[in-house]
Amino acid sequence: MSTRQRSMANNNQPLVVPWDARRVVDGRDKQCRGRGFSMRTEHENLTQLGLAHPPRRGMSGGLRLPCTAGQPHHHRSSELLPIVEEAVAVHPPGEENRGLPMLHRFVLLSSLLVLLTPSDGGAILPSSYSLLLSSFVRPPAPYSFFPRHHHSFHPISQQASNSTATRVPVTNVGHAPDVSFSFLLRRLDQEDAALQARQLLALSVKLSVCFDHVSVANKLILFLARGFLLEDARQLFVRIPRRNVMTYHSLISSYCERQLWDGAFGLFVLMVADGYLPDKSLLRMILKACSSVKSLELGRMIHGYAMRKHLNLNVFVCGALVEMYARCGSLDGARNALIWTRKCLLGDGRRLRKEMSDKGAIVYAPLITSYCREQQWLQALGTLALMVGDGFLADKFLLPSVLKACSEIESLALGMMIHGYLIRRELEFDVFIGNALIDMYVKCGRLNRARKAFDVMPLRDVVSWTVMISAYAEVGLLDEAMLCFELMVDAGVQPDVIAWNALIAGSAKFGDLHMALELLDEMRMSGLSPGVSSWNGIISGCVCNGYAEDALLVFRQMLLSEKPNTITISSILAALSDMNFLQLGKEVHAYAIRCGMETNVFINGSILGMYLKCGKRECAQKIFESMSDVCTTVWNEMIASYANDGDLERALEFLNRMRSSGVQPDVVTYNTLLASYARAGEKDQAFERFSEMISLGLKPNIVTFNVLISGFQQCGQTIEALKLFQCMQLSSAITPDGCLSAQLHTDGQSKSLFHHATSLGLQPDAITLTSALAACADLKRQMQGKQIHAYVLRNWLEQNVFLSSALVDMYAKCQDMSSATKTFCRIVDKNTVCWNCLIAGCNQNAQPESSLKLFSRMLEDGVMLSAVTIILLLSACSSTVALRLGRELHGYAMKFGFYRGSALASALIDMYAKCGSIKEARQVFDRTTARDTALWNVMISGYAMHGMARDAVNLFQEMESSGVKPDHITFTAVLSACGHGGLVQEGWAYFTSMEKVYEITPTLEHYTCMIGILGRVGLLNESQELIRKMPFEPDACLWSTLLQACRIQSNVKVGEEAARALFQLEPTNAVSYIVLANIYATAGMWDLSMKVRKWMEKQGITTAKESSWIEMNQMTKFFEAGDPSHPEMEEILETWDKLAAQMEENGYFPCDLCPEELDIGSLDPFSCYHTERLALCYGIITSPNSRNPIHVVKNLRMCIDCHTSTKFISQIIGRDILVKDGCFYHHFSGGNCSCNDKW
């Protein structure tokens, strides 16, 4: 019986699958029985297609073809064969409407082959049937949709026939690329494809070619599997008697396509058990299957099998092997696999190296991307270096991961090298690579380079725009961020939620809460719903800027539409901590527990921080001890709480507990400790902790050096701060030893610190530059400050308002107000901080009038005042004695809610005291409930300034009874008051109690106050003895105090000693010469007095120009010595003549010759060229009927004659007169002065 006859005879019999094969294929147990299936007859299949005719007599089924009567079928073979060859050349898909559908044509051709069966009953030639199947999967070459060198493996296209029969030639078939069955089936209905695949299976079984010829069976299995008949394909696989590698390949690939991994693995094991060696394509396929299910054990077995069998691998299989290890989480295994594959590929001569020339990155890429996915950036870059060393270059798919690694470790040099490679390969215009390049430059702090890379991109997607917007918003360049956002919209790119959130968070972060809320509304109007991340950006910005109440209000608005997450809860807990709202904090804590957030590390840290800042350290300690798994973040919170409170011993104790518990500290841990040690001025301990940090393998970041620089600067170690900043700018090529020995002159621990500063190659950010500028300002190093300014300009950082404000402050403190003003004017978006810096600079450079003018400009520009602004303006009012404006600022502060705490209250008390209204100063003091040491100090100093010694002493006693501990400033104020009041015993008592009772070591300033106390009461010998015993060298201030005491006591001997010391310390200070000349004049030694004055003229030593001013009727009038141009001068002189006559009648006689008159000639005392007299007369003229005190301010000390005459005038006009000369107030009333003629 022929093969065809046997097939037809057994057509209706079930196909039984052997038990052992089904166990592997189906994965069933031993009790699983075989399951058969029966196929339709050929006649049934053709009938369904509408191509069947009634069966001819003598045949069980078949087609009735038109033919000549009486002519047998096999006699027409020669005529039909050309028709078959022509029909085999399948028509293009576009021409299907011209003839029968493709599957219909295939069935027709199959029927023709049946008719062409040899008359002796032999089987159909395998080449004919293989040709038929190939024609079904190979369209003509001109209609191919795939490139010629497509890498996908299509086993159906391989030469599957081992027969020696000649294959029928097909036109253009040999030149067409391989196309899978799915290419054709995608153009058919899924149901129709399955139906027609079953018909093809029935026909093949009937013809028996699938059992006798393995090539036909392989193609049929693949066709069935691709036709969604995987079960039929599997059963046919089990039934065929002979198989080869392609048989397994066909079914395994189908299982993998449908992600039936167990079946694929079972078939692979069966194939290996049958002794077949997998080819490269199958190995790659099964390794990718292991990657998909993360089956590391099976992947290792396949790797070992390949090594034992010495299989010939290519780059694709090696890449799949490395990827399998990487995706299964075994990075070490992936690394070892990479080393093994390098030996296999690179050690196989030139052929494999040539094969890898443009595909070598396939082997390295999986490991590099896996390292990046696990955030092991250095390992990723190390693998990249290995790849480049082997001579292979990264492709455009790998480069974004490499740039990401560069950005995370902030390796600008490597990133720029990759950028150059992109330019050479013309890859920088790829949108994904361009986005990664922009992100790298942004994270490396090179915003200008990021913008250049952005500008050259021909195609920008929403990610490109969002990266630039986020970069600008992150550094405070809100105008540039907004402009970039508008350009994005104009370019037709729709902003997404991330772009909106970047703008909102940036506005809130830099204090523009109003703008942030407006952007939130615009986001809603654009059709996007603000999510919880949008609200979190505003809340976090408010918390960062200290707007805790605003954060709470925004949080309440958020609850109306969104549910808070862990970030929200953490931020709002920080706000509640700042406001000390313990009860509300407990409620938020309870909410976190109800929502299951108490296990979140950030929530735990925020809860601990809230209790710690609210003073409930016991509660925080209980919560901490109750935690079963304490992470690094929680440990850091506990360490920071003690470190920030100055309890560094307790902080170190927690650090040791942390390490003993198995939790390793991170960079944040040591940054917290370094900041506390630096602020405390403990340089050695800071360097020790830094060395410990390095020994643990922790890499210092820019924050590490920021906290050290800012901490050293804040504690007064400004030189150390500036040295560290300068070392950050040095190249790592400079040897640390040479650098430090030549420039820094530091000890061994410092060398370690500065060595790491240079070797890390860190670039300073805005915070670093701000701290360095503050150090330059304190040290008055304008040249270094200008160099930093140039660095700021080169890196486009000038628009950072905080950095620009630091530049203004630096120039102002270096007494270069011109540069400060120019820098201020270049700031585009000036905020309150910028204005405050310039106002403070004017105050520091003795330009209070300019400060008040800036205040007017602020109001014109609509800039909101802050508490700091009001404090600075109050200081300007104090210097100009602008009492009226000071009262208006007081009202403004109360109206807008700035009147909180002691800082503003202290400024108000100081302003009222210096403006002569000591009563209003005391009223502010009494209304302030929260009184700290600074508030007590300023009130005591106010009493001392007005010569009210008893009031100052009583207030000091009240301070002691209230429990507030005095500091060194308190004792300076009390001792100064005792000196003005002549309270020698009280002064000695306070001076001795400083060290004994309060453990405050007296400074040179306190000794100077004691010299003044003793000298004013005539105890000059005791003063000299105290100078000899004190542990300090006397300075000019101390000798000047002793010289003034000698003037009061007319002691020539001690005065000459003090003057000689002053002439050595300050040889050009005219005040010392004038006081000495007055001492001689008072003692009647006129020759020596004139000799001193002539010496001053000879040396060109001149006094400051005398001036006085008075505020009357909301106007300030100035009077300068030697300037008679005042419009009311005649009336002023007439008033003086009247007063002089009355003073003469009351017994007034000139007391001494004012030394200032030497500058304008020897004039008679009654000529009224002493400016305070002119101001006093003007006050009498402009307010003749007023009983309010007349308030006069003078820039120099009053002379004895003016002091005596003012006492007489106060008695004559019956009004109180206040005269401020320098830093002391004289209260004239009824012919007496509050200084008791000792000032």
Side-chain angles (χ1 to χ4, degrees):
M1 183 182 293
S2 65
T3 305
R4 178 174 177 269
Q5 291 171 341
R6 288 194 303 268
S7 174
M8 295 177 63
N10 298 328
N11 187 37
N12 295 324
Q13 296 180 1
L15 180 63
V16 180
V17 182
W19 171 82
D20 57 340
R22 288 189 57 82
R23 184 185 63 178
V24 177
V25 176
D26 294 335
R28 300 176 181 176
D29 56 12
K30 296 180 180 180
Q31 285 74 27
C32 179
R33 295 184 177 182
R35 183 161 57 100
F37 73 97
S38 59
M39 302 183 182
R40 298 178 179 181
T41 64
E42 176 189 3
H43 179 73
E44 292 172 348
N45 296 330
L46 297 179
T47 300
Q48 185 173 358
L49 291 174
L51 298 175
H53 293 269
R56 295 177 60 187
R57 187 177 302 174
M59 296 184 63
S60 60
L63 290 176
R64 177 177 295 175
L65 300 176
C67 61
T68 305
Q71 196 173 9
H73 295 288
H74 61 275
H75 291 161
R76 294 180 57 87
S77 299
S78 58
E79 299 177 9
L80 293 175
L81 187 57
I83 299 175
V84 173
E85 293 179 0
E86 182 179 356
V88 165
V90 181
H91 293 287
E95 299 182 1
E96 289 181 2
N97 56 348
R98 300 181 183 178
L100 296 173
M102 188 175 299
L103 262 295
H104 291 202
R105 288 201 309 274
F106 179 79
V107 175
L108 176 59
L109 293 176
S110 300
S111 302
L112 291 175
L113 286 175
V114 172
L115 297 178
L116 291 175
T117 303
S119 58
D120 58 356
I124 301 176
L125 293 178
S127 59
S128 302
Y129 205 83
S130 178
L131 169 65
L132 182 64
L133 292 176
S134 299
S135 68
F136 190 75
V137 297
R138 286 179 181 265
Y143 300 95
S144 174
F145 288 80
F146 296 98
R148 183 171 300 274
H149 300 289
H150 198 275
H151 297 306
S152 300
F153 182 79
H154 303 288
I156 196 73
S157 65
Q158 304 297 322
Q159 187 63 263
S161 177
N162 298 323
S163 174
T164 58
T166 305
R167 179 169 181 165
V168 179
V170 180
T171 305
N172 291 334
V173 171
H175 303 287
D178 292 343
V179 181
S180 64
F181 277 104
S182 60
F183 177 78
L184 297 174
L185 294 177
R186 278 198 300 269
R187 290 159 175 77
L188 301 173
D189 247 344
Q190 202 170 21
E191 295 181 2
D192 291 344
L195 177 62
Q196 293 160 1
R198 284 185 179 274
Q199 293 169 355
L200 178 62
L201 176 61
L203 181 61
S204 301
V205 172
K206 188 171 184 64
L207 299 177
S208 298
V209 292
C210 60
F211 302 115
D212 295 338
H213 303 283
V214 66
S215 60
V216 176
N218 293 344
K219 295 179 181 179
L220 187 57
I221 288 173
L222 186 59
F223 180 72
L224 288 170
R226 299 290 173 84
F228 310 99
L229 298 173
L230 189 60
E231 180 64 20
D232 292 341
R234 183 191 62 79
Q235 293 192 25
L236 180 60
F237 169 84
V238 175
R239 185 174 178 180
I240 58 177
R242 290 186 299 170
R243 310 184 187 101
N244 60 13
V245 175
M246 295 308 302
T247 311
Y248 288 96
H249 194 296
S250 300
L251 196 54
I252 290 175
S253 63
S254 300
Y255 273 109
C256 291
E257 284 182 3
R258 287 157 179 77
Q259 300 183 1
L260 301 175
W261 311 117
D262 292 337
F265 294 147
L267 284 171
F268 182 79
V269 174
L270 180 62
M271 182 189 72
V272 174
D274 288 344
Y276 295 105
L277 292 177
D279 59 4
K280 300 173 184 178
S281 178
L282 187 56
L283 270 177
R284 181 189 181 194
M285 188 186 306
I286 204 68
L287 285 171
K288 285 187 174 294
C290 295
S291 303
S292 300
V293 299
K294 294 182 172 53
S295 177
L296 179 61
E297 190 63 30
L298 183 58
R300 284 175 174 169
M301 293 172 60
I302 297 172
H303 185 191
Y305 174 77
M307 295 177 65
R308 290 193 303 272
K309 295 296 183 179
H310 302 287
L311 298 181
N312 188 16
L313 308 180
N314 60 10
V315 291
F316 301 104
V317 179
C318 294
L321 180 64
V322 176
E323 182 182 9
M324 182 275 299
Y325 278 108
R327 294 190 64 180
C328 291
S330 177
L331 294 180
D332 293 337
R335 178 79 176 179
N336 295 332
L338 176 63
I339 296 174
W340 178 74
T341 55
R342 289 175 66 243
K343 293 179 180 178
C344 293
L345 296 175
L346 301 179
D348 196 13
R350 296 182 179 179
R351 183 183 64 82
L352 286 176
R353 184 174 289 277
K354 183 178 180 180
E355 177 187 354
M356 291 184 65
S357 60
D358 57 344
K359 306 171 186 175
I362 298 176
V363 182
Y364 301 85
L367 184 58
I368 295 175
T369 54
S370 297
Y371 276 135
C372 293
R373 188 165 49 247
E374 297 297 327
Q375 298 184 2
Q376 299 183 19
W377 314 111
L378 294 177
Q379 289 84 343
L381 295 176
T383 307
L384 175 69
L386 184 66
M387 183 182 77
V388 175
D390 290 341
F392 308 119
L393 301 177
D395 56 12
K396 67 177 183 178
F397 303 104
L398 182 60
L399 285 170
S401 299
V402 176
L403 288 170
K404 175 68 174 177
C406 296
S407 65
E408 291 297 332
I409 66 173
E410 299 181 5
S411 177
L412 179 63
L414 183 57
M416 294 178 67
M417 291 172 59
I418 296 174
H419 190 182
Y421 169 75
L422 294 175
I423 295 174
R424 291 193 301 272
R425 295 289 298 271
E426 297 183 356
L427 295 174
E428 62 174 338
F429 302 126
D430 183 86
V431 64
F432 299 103
I433 294 178
N435 293 343
L437 188 64
I438 294 171
D439 181 70
M440 183 273 297
Y441 278 125
V442 167
K443 290 186 177 179
C444 291
R446 293 296 185 272
L447 195 55
N448 55 341
R449 293 183 179 271
R451 184 55 190 258
K452 291 179 180 178
F454 175 81
D455 290 337
V456 300
M457 291 179 64
L459 179 63
R460 309 183 187 110
D461 59 3
V462 65
V463 178
S464 313
W465 291 97
T466 303
V467 169
M468 285 307 305
I469 293 170
S470 302
Y472 282 129
E474 183 68 23
V475 298
L477 301 177
L478 300 180
D479 288 342
E480 285 75 5
M482 188 63 68
L483 178 60
C484 193
F485 186 85
E486 294 173 355
L487 292 175
M488 175 185 182
V489 176
D490 295 339
V493 180
Q494 185 66 27
D496 58 2
V497 177
I498 300 176
W500 282 102
N501 288 348
L503 277 179
I504 293 171
S507 300
K509 178 181 178 181
F510 290 95
D512 198 345
L513 180 60
H514 180 69
M515 177 60 70
L517 295 175
E518 284 187 354
L519 289 170
L520 197 68
D521 293 336
E522 292 181 10
M523 181 179 178
R524 291 194 189 97
M525 295 174 62
S526 67
L528 294 176
S529 299
V532 64
S533 57
S534 307
W535 293 97
N536 288 345
I538 301 178
I539 295 173
S540 300
C542 293
V543 173
C544 292
N545 287 279
Y547 304 151
E549 293 183 359
D550 294 326
L552 190 57
L553 292 175
V554 174
F555 176 67
R556 289 173 178 171
Q557 294 180 24
M558 172 188 171
L559 293 177
L560 300 176
S561 59
E562 296 290 339
K563 183 179 179 181
N565 59 9
T566 54
I567 299 176
T568 318
I569 298 299
S570 299
S571 300
I572 206 64
L573 282 171
L576 296 174
S577 303
D578 295 338
M579 293 187 293
N580 203 18
F581 282 2
L582 179 61
Q583 186 59 38
L584 189 55
K586 290 181 178 180
E587 295 177 6
V588 176
H589 184 190
Y591 174 83
I593 294 175
R594 288 197 304 271
C595 295
M597 299 181 183
E598 72 278 4
T599 58
N600 185 278
V601 292
F602 300 103
I603 296 294
N604 282 331
S606 300
I607 291 173
L608 285 176
M610 184 270 297
Y611 283 113
L612 289 169
K613 291 181 180 179
C614 291
K616 296 296 181 180
R617 182 164 289 176
E618 298 80 7
C619 297
Q621 189 76 27
K622 290 179 181 178
I623 295 173
F624 176 80
E625 299 296 343
S626 65
M627 294 180 183
S628 58
D629 186 14
V630 184
C631 63
T632 306
T633 304
V634 178
W635 281 105
N636 290 346
E637 190 69 35
M638 293 299 297
I639 293 173
S641 66
Y642 289 103
N644 294 335
D645 289 344
D647 192 354
L648 295 174
E649 293 183 2
R650 185 72 170 162
L652 280 181
E653 178 183 340
F654 268 86
L655 176 63
N656 295 331
R657 284 183 57 188
M658 176 183 182
R659 299 180 64 178
S660 62
S661 65
V663 180
Q664 290 299 321
D666 57 6
V667 178
V668 177
T669 312
Y670 281 95
N671 285 350
T672 303
L673 291 171
L674 289 174
S676 300
Y677 280 117
R679 286 195 302 267
E682 299 184 15
K683 183 181 68 173
D684 295 337
Q685 290 291 333
F687 290 165
E688 183 179 347
R689 296 282 80 78
F690 185 89
S691 301
E692 181 180 305
M693 176 182 180
I694 298 298
S695 64
L696 293 176
L698 299 175
K699 182 180 178 181
N701 53 19
I702 189 63
V703 178
T704 307
F705 293 95
N706 285 348
V707 297
L708 287 171
I709 293 173
S710 61
F712 287 149
Q713 192 273 328
Q714 291 172 14
C715 74
Q717 297 185 7
T718 312
I719 296 178
E720 292 291 337
L722 198 56
K723 286 178 181 178
L724 182 55
F725 173 76
Q726 291 171 343
C727 239
M728 288 182 66
Q729 305 303 301
L730 297 177
S731 172
S732 58
I734 300 177
T735 58
D737 294 336
C739 161
L740 296 173
S741 61
Q743 299 184 26
L744 302 177
H745 310 289
T746 55
D747 54 14
Q749 289 179 323
S750 303
K751 287 184 178 182
S752 174
L753 177 63
F754 291 121
H755 168 69
H756 285 284
T758 55
S759 62
L760 289 172
L762 295 173
Q763 295 296 326
D765 58 6
I767 299 176
T768 320
L769 296 171
T770 302
S771 300
L773 286 170
C776 293
D778 292 342
L779 295 174
K780 303 294 188 294
R781 295 188 178 182
Q782 186 176 0
M783 184 56 65
Q784 286 86 344
K786 286 184 176 180
Q787 294 173 0
I788 297 175
H789 192 178
Y791 179 88
V792 170
L793 294 175
R794 287 195 304 271
N795 291 274
W796 292 17
L797 297 174
E798 191 179 19
Q799 292 308 312
N800 186 306
V801 290
F802 299 101
L803 192 53
S804 297
S805 301
L807 284 169
V808 173
D809 181 68
M810 182 273 298
Y811 283 120
K813 288 183 178 178
C814 292
Q815 299 180 353
D816 187 358
M817 286 304 298
S818 176
S819 298
T821 305
K822 290 179 182 178
T823 304
F824 173 81
C825 293
R826 281 196 297 267
I827 302 175
V828 178
D829 188 13
K830 302 179 181 67
N831 62 2
T832 308
V833 177
C834 305
W835 289 92
N836 290 347
C837 288
L838 191 58
I839 292 173
C842 293
N843 289 345
Q844 295 162 3
N845 287 275
Q847 300 177 15
E849 299 85 1
S850 300
S851 298
L852 299 180
K853 292 179 181 178
L854 288 172
F855 171 56
S856 301
R857 287 178 55 189
M858 284 184 70
L859 297 179
E860 293 174 359
D861 292 348
V863 181
M864 294 295 296
L865 304 184
S866 65
V868 177
T869 314
I870 296 176
I871 291 173
L872 293 172
L873 293 173
L874 288 173
S875 176
C877 293
S878 303
S879 301
T880 58
V881 197
L883 180 60
R884 178 183 56 83
L885 181 57
R887 287 170 177 165
E888 292 176 357
L889 289 171
H890 188 183
Y892 182 92
M894 296 183 67
K895 179 180 180 180
F896 289 95
F898 292 118
Y899 191 63
R900 303 172 187 170
S902 61
L904 186 57
S906 300
L908 284 169
I909 293 172
D910 182 69
M911 183 274 298
Y912 281 122
K914 290 181 178 179
C915 289
S917 183
I918 193 65
K919 292 181 180 180
E920 290 182 272
R922 183 57 193 249
Q923 290 174 0
V924 174
F925 178 83
D926 292 337
R927 286 196 300 264
T928 306
T929 56
R931 301 173 183 173
D932 57 2
T933 306
L935 191 74
W936 290 94
N937 291 347
V938 71
M939 192 66 234
I940 295 173
S941 299
Y943 281 133
M945 183 188 306
H946 287 263
M948 305 169 69
R950 285 297 174 186
D951 296 277
V953 171
N954 294 336
L955 190 61
F956 177 79
Q957 294 173 355
E958 184 180 346
M959 176 183 179
E960 288 181 310
S961 61
S962 66
V964 180
K965 185 178 180 181
D967 57 7
H968 66 283
I969 299 176
T970 313
F971 283 101
T972 300
V974 171
L975 292 175
S976 178
C978 293
H980 290 299
L983 305 178
V984 181
Q985 294 181 354
E986 289 84 349
W988 268 118
Y990 291 133
F991 182 78
T992 55
S993 67
M994 287 180 60
E995 196 164 9
K996 294 181 179 179
V997 179
Y998 299 101
E999 298 180 352
I1000 299 175
T1001 303
T1003 64
L1004 182 59
E1005 189 175 6
H1006 298 116
Y1007 280 97
T1008 301
C1009 292
M1010 282 306 304
I1011 297 300
I1013 292 174
L1014 297 174
R1016 282 187 174 90
V1017 297
L1019 300 176
L1020 297 176
N1021 293 330
E1022 288 79 357
S1023 299
Q1024 290 179 299
E1025 184 66 22
L1026 183 61
I1027 292 173
R1028 286 191 290 268
K1029 292 182 178 180
M1030 69 178 185
F1032 306 102
E1033 285 294 327
D1035 62 353
C1037 183
L1038 186 144
W1039 289 117
S1040 178
T1041 302
L1042 183 61
L1043 185 63
Q1044 292 289 350
C1046 293
R1047 181 188 64 81
I1048 296 173
Q1049 303 299 328
S1050 300
N1051 192 312
V1052 177
K1053 180 180 178 181
V1054 180
E1056 289 177 341
E1057 180 182 350
R1060 280 194 295 269
L1062 279 171
F1063 295 159
Q1064 292 179 355
L1065 296 173
E1066 298 177 345
T1068 60
N1069 189 353
V1071 176
S1072 304
Y1073 295 94
I1074 293 172
V1075 175
L1076 180 61
N1078 284 340
I1079 292 175
Y1080 286 139
T1082 304
M1085 304 169 67
W1086 296 102
D1087 294 339
L1088 293 177
S1089 177
M1090 293 302 299
K1091 185 177 181 180
V1092 172
R1093 293 167 183 169
K1094 290 180 180 179
W1095 172 257
M1096 290 177 61
E1097 292 179 356
K1098 181 179 179 181
Q1099 297 297 324
I1101 301 174
T1102 59
T1103 61
K1105 196 170 185 179
E1106 179 187 350
S1107 63
S1108 300
W1109 62 93
I1110 184 173
E1111 183 179 4
M1112 299 297 295
N1113 299 327
Q1114 299 184 359
M1115 294 183 64
T1116 303
K1117 297 293 183 179
F1118 289 87
F1119 300 91
E1120 294 185 355
D1123 182 13
S1125 62
H1126 195 278
E1128 300 175 272
M1129 181 59 71
E1130 293 184 2
E1131 188 176 358
I1132 291 173
L1133 294 177
E1134 290 178 2
T1135 303
W1136 172 254
D1137 291 337
K1138 295 177 182 178
L1139 292 173
Q1142 295 181 20
M1143 286 189 296
E1144 189 175 0
E1145 293 177 358
N1146 293 335
Y1148 169 75
F1149 186 78
C1151 299
D1152 85 330
L1153 185 65
C1154 183
E1156 289 90 332
E1157 292 176 356
L1158 293 175
D1159 296 335
I1160 57 175
S1162 299
L1163 301 175
D1164 186 83
F1166 291 95
S1167 62
C1168 192
Y1169 271 86
H1170 295 190
T1171 56
E1172 64 266 41
R1173 297 177 182 177
L1174 299 175
L1176 180 57
C1177 293
Y1178 178 81
I1180 296 173
I1181 294 171
T1182 54
S1183 59
N1185 300 322
S1186 176
R1187 308 307 301 173
N1188 294 327
I1190 300 175
H1191 195 172
V1192 178
V1193 182
K1194 185 180 180 181
N1195 64 333
L1196 299 177
R1197 185 187 297 269
M1198 292 182 70
C1199 65
I1200 297 175
D1201 185 61
C1202 287
H1203 188 270
T1204 304
S1205 62
T1206 305
K1207 290 194 296 182
F1208 277 93
I1209 294 173
S1210 67
Q1211 183 180 12
I1212 292 171
I1213 64 176
R1215 294 172 64 179
D1216 291 346
I1217 301 173
L1218 275 73
V1219 178
K1220 180 185 179 184
D1221 62 340
C1223 299
F1224 189 77
Y1225 261 103
H1226 298 266
H1227 289 252
F1228 297 95
S1229 180
N1232 297 312
C1233 181
S1234 59
C1235 69
N1236 296 321
D1237 298 336
K1238 296 179 180 180
W1239 79 102

